[in-house]
């Protein structure tokens, strides 16, 4: 941590600040320049409250040197974490391909799609039972019934199921019923929910918030790990920018950044990033080429009649073709789908 | 709603689409141009699923004419809504000034500050009991004890209390204990929470999400109103942009936009927008000059030792001076603080 | 400057880096932590190329302590700069109010508007002769003829004229003809143009680029000052964000930030920020309340027939009413319009 | 074009507006709804000034149906444009790989790098002679001397040269000396410069502005084509977002969007997008996988001593390895490098 002081700071103020820092168990080294004096701080600087320092009129700015996250930090865990879910590994050589409809609509729908994506090579089935929708007048999901239908589809195909939780009140049921609990972008900073899933040992698929920095994203993962749950898969799903042609802007570089900063696996959601079905295949290829550990893709057998997000869903036959292209790209990087 | 069709659309496809729309009870008017054909749709177009239309390969884009919100829409409620809270009105001639510390820390702290902001003219006391923090290692609030201390401060001063809810599980307690339930920026799209507060008749202070468009913000208010609760105060508190000098960018124009689009009152939070105490006074004046219906300001008697957000809190004496400047600006607009 | 090193850095690399820095005349202080080592650098650190340091594999990041601008920095010039233009001061107690049409259209138009804004109290006349337009098919201004008409309007009213330059080739003519040369947002980083106006002593009105950080904005002003011209007025005119309701998002806090960081005067352009005439008055009041040194406002006597930007222009009578409100707000801050 | 009217619009105002539109040669179809009336407009709607319509108090909003660009629009030119430069094609099956240093520094440097990138398979040599730099105190390029050195490198290798123009005054020299004139992100809306290069028939490499929408980017290309020059290569190079970990955010989806909207070839600049050398290879692969028509990559034989952008340059040996990976990915898409 580096504290930049106002030129008018007095030696007494410097000394007082130094002592305050040392009371927290850190060490402070003053450096006197012509126009600015700075105080370098080493030790467990996470304990020092940056905001409190900024209340002092003679403190100009506080620069952080250490990352604020710890358990998710690659610095303290140099190897990739490989998450085990229902007999599958996520984060290793084999890519995790999660596919399925935006929302579960009927037994026939979800079982059919599950069989189709399985046949094409998907490793996991996705499907929303509880749906976060911008409008209160939009379809909100089949809820508990949707969970039951997902279980039937799992039974029929053997694919582990991935579905989104929207409320802590449903946690026990999710822990019992699903294989991977998804926390959506809008809940990335629903801290009570993060703590609650952190107290289970169920795998969590944490999506990046619409306008979350990479650091904030990792801090949300830290909330889960701080409670003891280390089974976390991160998901880049597009960020909000000034560009409105696409629903969001896929931040493909974030995959690289996160893999450098953290040991956790990172997958990509091209469907929500683009919001347009015709972009999904090309973005999936880009995600594999950049080194993502997997993909979560919306696949629907009848997009035009899907109850949500049909515009960004691809059909099973396109998904099958895509899988074979992805296989070829993965091989170049010594990976497989 | 206007549907723009691909130049290659056939008359049969146009007709099929027209019939599909008419089955939803709307009327469709085709217009044939040289390069593009369009279909204008009137009626209760909110029933038509825009995303479903976009799954058709011959649909280029769908432009919305009507706003997607209804109950919060000024179109259907031309007069300003005036919210009654504990004998005070919000949205009328008198500005609502809500002041107090970021978090409740002790009885003495909250009672002292409550007395000071009351003496300076504030109408409401704010104070966090449950605190959303980016880091799991930061102070998370005094929780239930904080609520008790707020009640003591209300008892001592008569000021109604405003505090943030973070979880549905606490709703009953909040309804019983507090005067205004705040929903923070990070929970603006926590739809289960919105629905739950919508089923009470407690006044809700809804903050704009960090990267929520004005339309999405109003849709979240619509969630609350759709459940029956019409007591909503909106709050602009800064949005996330590329500029990092300030914590967020105060979107002062949003006050004007929201007041044009909706009948609900809108207040401004200059403390969170700027993230720096020395900007708070000037931004408060700007908010009153632009026509906001009130302010929510962080005031702390000892910012350097505040347990959170000290860097953006002003001292009671500055707040008192600020109130008299605000009074003067308000008068120019025929309002009062 | 603070250099954060990779944990694997060797003492030899540290020493080598230290010497490299000292060869540039700066002093480097190493600090060894448990997980990270840092090198604090003091002296004329602007000479050290941050990007070059980042090419070393053992350098994690480089944090800048000093601002990269010098002549525009308030640190080295604590008092406000007051710019003299044609007998008027900008940056002092009296606010600079610049008003006029988006583009000069005819002698009658510009002279009439000039007389009207003068009567209402404006201190300067604006009017575009060379117009930057997003579309090549839009009206591009009357060009040289526009400059002649502006001179006639100045002759008729005594108001100094402010108009935008788009190309270095016109500089001699602008220096001769106009009182304030405006550099538009799109040219904020047209460095050749900045250097060229820096070699004159004509007052420059420099607008912030659509997505320029405050630091980049001040660096562009530094380009002008580095060439010797100290007569610079900065202008906040809205930034590009995800919000599309307004044309841009007025960054009102930037006024405060710039006045803290720099000694140069700052004015606000509410017309371009909002892009909607009905927001202009309220945003103008907010700008004065926040402490801007002036305003540049689009005023047109016949907006519906304006050849550009009619949608964001207010009529002369509204402008007159606005001026009297601004006068009242200015007085509260001991200023005047 | 669709004009949405305020509910209070009178039949007389509707009629007046209809006639105004018909005077411009377009046809207007009114549709009367319960709460809103709309006017659909077909014909050559680009002639109608949207902003002028918005000055009318009874016009709520104006939705555009047609894209505002024409010559760059794929609608009117369904096949891909293939640009011929010095015996090479850009936009066809073979990808255009442009490589070289940020800036030309010496004869030895540029010739050596040119030979190395040629040996690795690059098709074009890049190198800056005139450099746009944020700080006036940074190295600004070797200028005319740099152009001479580029010509020597072309002579030595046969690689066509790509370099950035910063001022119209240099245009004649660029036309004579270089093969592809680059217009940088900061000058994307330097309209005088766009018009000037539009009057030549030299190939232009137009980079997307830091915060330019895809539509604005295509409008800038339209400026060039409107003057007669159809030899344009577009370049996505990262946009400015709230995320600061990377220098910019590579908008990989923009490649897909632009190829749908326009017939012009699109390449990607991973070096400027990321701003970090260790991301360049992975982003290059992603760009080829997504379907870009080429890449422009910074390669330097001694990044640590590069006079600019060393931190984002890769070494020739890495570039050679990268080329063989790119070849494999390209083959999957039936393309080649």
């Amino acid at each position: 941590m580096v504290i930049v002081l106002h030129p008018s700071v007095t030696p007494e103020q410097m000394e007082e600040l130094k002592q305050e820092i040392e009371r927290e168990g850190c060490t402070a080294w003053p450096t006197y320049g012509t126009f600015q004096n700075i105080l370098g701080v080493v030790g467990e600087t996470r304990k020092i409250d940056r905001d409190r320092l900024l209340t002092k009129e003679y403190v100009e700015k506080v620069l952080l040197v250490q990352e604020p996250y710890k358990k998710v930090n690659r610095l303290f865990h140099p190897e990739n974490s490989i998450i085990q879910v229902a007999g599958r590994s996520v984060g290793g050589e084999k890519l995790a391909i999660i596919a399925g409809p935006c929302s579960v609509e009927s037994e026939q729908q979800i079982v059919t799609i599950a069989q189709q994506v399985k046949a094409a090579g998907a490793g996991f089935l996705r499907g929303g039972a509880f749906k976060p929708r911008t409008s209160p007048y939009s379809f909100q999901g089949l809820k508990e019934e949707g969970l039951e239908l997902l279980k039937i589809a799992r039974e029929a195909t053997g694919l582990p199921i991935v579905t989104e939780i929207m409320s802590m009140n449903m946690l026990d049921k999710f822990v019992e019923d699903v294989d991977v609990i998804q926390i959506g972008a809008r809940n990335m900073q629903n801290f009570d929910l993060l703590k609650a899933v952190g107290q289970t040992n169920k795998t969590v698929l944490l999506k990046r918030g619409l306008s979350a920095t990479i650091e904030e994203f990792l801090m949300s993962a830290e909330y889960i790990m701080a409670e003891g749950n280390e089974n976390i898969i991160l998901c880049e799903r597009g960020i909000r920018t000034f560009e409105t042609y696409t629903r969001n802007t896929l931040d493909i570089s974030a995959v690289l950044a996160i893999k450098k900063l953290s040991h956790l696996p990172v997958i990509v959601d091209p469907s929500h990033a683009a919001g347009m079905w015709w972009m999904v295949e090309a973005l999936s290829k880009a995600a594999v080429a950049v080194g993502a550990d997997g993909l979560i893709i919306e696949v629907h057998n009848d997009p035009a009649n899907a109850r949500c997000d049909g515009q960004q869903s691809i059909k099973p036959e396109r998904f099958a073709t895509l899988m074979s292209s992805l296989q070829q790209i993965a091989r170049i990087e010594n990976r497989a789908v």
Side-chain angles (χ1 to χ4, degrees), chain A:
Chain A
M1 179 181 277
V2 179
I3 306 171
V4 183
L5 301 157
H6 196 267
S8 66
V9 68
T10 63
E12 292 71 32
Q13 288 169 324
M14 279 286 259
E15 185 54 31
E16 182 195 78
L17 185 58
K18 190 168 178 301
Q19 287 180 15
E20 186 176 326
I21 282 159
E22 293 180 346
R23 275 196 300 276
E24 303 275 1
C26 296
T27 315
W29 305 78
T31 312
Y32 300 92
T34 318
F35 280 106
Q36 265 164 326
N37 302 312
I38 65 179
L39 205 61
V41 183
V42 287
E44 184 50 78
T45 55
R46 280 187 205 83
K47 285 187 201 156
I48 298 174
D49 187 342
R50 179 174 174 273
D51 288 351
R52 190 179 295 189
L53 295 174
L54 287 167
T55 62
K56 298 182 200 292
E57 301 209 9
Y58 58 86
V59 171
E60 283 275 297
K61 47 187 165 185
V62 178
L63 306 172
L64 300 179
V65 169
Q66 269 189 309
E67 307 303 342
Y69 38 84
K70 200 161 175 174
K71 291 174 188 271
V72 304
N73 199 332
R74 189 179 280 276
L75 192 60
F76 310 114
H77 185 309
E79 303 78 34
N80 287 338
S81 280
I82 299 184
I83 312 298
Q84 303 298 334
V85 193
R88 285 154 175 85
S89 301
V90 180
E93 187 203 306
K94 193 169 158 65
L95 302 183
I97 308 293
I98 307 169
C102 168
S103 68
V104 181
E105 296 167 18
S106 69
E107 180 175 329
Q108 206 217 325
Q109 176 242 23
I110 191 70
V111 172
T112 306
I113 297 175
Q115 288 165 337
Q116 289 171 317
V117 300
K118 188 192 180 185
F124 299 81
L125 175 66
R126 63 149 290 153
F130 296 85
K131 298 296 311 168
R133 305 300 302 274
T134 304
S135 167
Y137 310 121
S138 298
F139 173 58
Q140 312 267 321
L142 292 184
K143 307 204 166 108
E144 282 85 348
E145 187 195 339
L147 290 182
E148 293 311 310
L149 299 179
L150 281 169
K151 284 157 68 180
I152 294 172
R154 175 172 58 192
E155 188 72 24
T157 58
L159 292 180
I161 53 182
V162 181
T163 193
E164 179 169 353
I165 194 167
M166 280 181 64
S167 162
M168 265 169 62
N169 299 345
M170 295 301 298
L171 186 57
D172 290 346
K173 190 153 178 51
F174 270 67
V175 168
E176 200 179 309
D177 287 355
V178 315
D179 300 287
V180 177
I181 298 177
Q182 178 180 318
I183 294 189
R186 294 176 181 87
N187 279 314
M188 191 202 83
Q189 292 192 319
N190 183 334
F191 300 120
D192 282 4
L193 186 56
L194 297 177
K195 286 181 198 168
V197 298
Q199 286 158 12
T200 73
N201 61 2
K202 190 58 80 177
T203 297
V204 179
L205 174 62
L206 179 64
K207 293 190 136 191
R208 181 180 183 186
L210 207 56
S211 65
T213 60
I214 291 167
E215 184 174 300
E216 288 166 344
F217 188 20
L218 292 176
M219 285 306 282
S220 286
E222 185 82 12
Y223 256 95
I224 299 171
M225 282 191 103
E227 298 288 330
N229 186 351
E230 305 201 336
N231 301 309
I232 304 171
I233 303 167
L234 300 171
C235 179
E236 159 62 32
R237 42 75 75 209
I239 57 173
R240 178 151 279 174
T241 69
F242 65 83
E243 179 58 65
T244 55
Y245 187 83
T246 40
R247 185 162 160 175
N248 298 288
T249 298
L250 179 63
D251 182 5
I252 196 105
S253 323
V255 175
L256 298 166
I258 294 169
K259 291 193 79 67
K260 184 182 177 81
L261 298 168
S262 174
H263 50 89
L264 295 172
V266 191
I267 67 169
V268 166
D269 178 345
S271 308
H272 283 86
M276 286 177 281
W277 61 268
W278 57 270
M279 282 195 178
V280 169
E281 292 155 89
L283 293 180
S284 297
K285 293 176 195 173
V288 172
V290 96
D293 295 306
L295 291 162
I296 177 164
I297 299 180
E298 290 195 353
V299 176
H300 200 288
N301 52 359
D302 184 11
N305 292 304
R307 294 190 69 180
C308 80
D309 280 356
Q311 87 290 358
Q312 68 195 33
S313 301
I314 57 171
K315 292 191 183 169
E317 45 272 37
R318 293 193 85 113
F319 176 69
T321 311
L322 171 61
M323 284 296 281
S324 78
S325 296
L326 296 180
Q327 186 65 277
Q328 294 177 69
I329 298 176
R331 253 186 233 131
I332 298 172
E333 305 296 313
N334 297 315
R335 299 189 81 169
V337 299

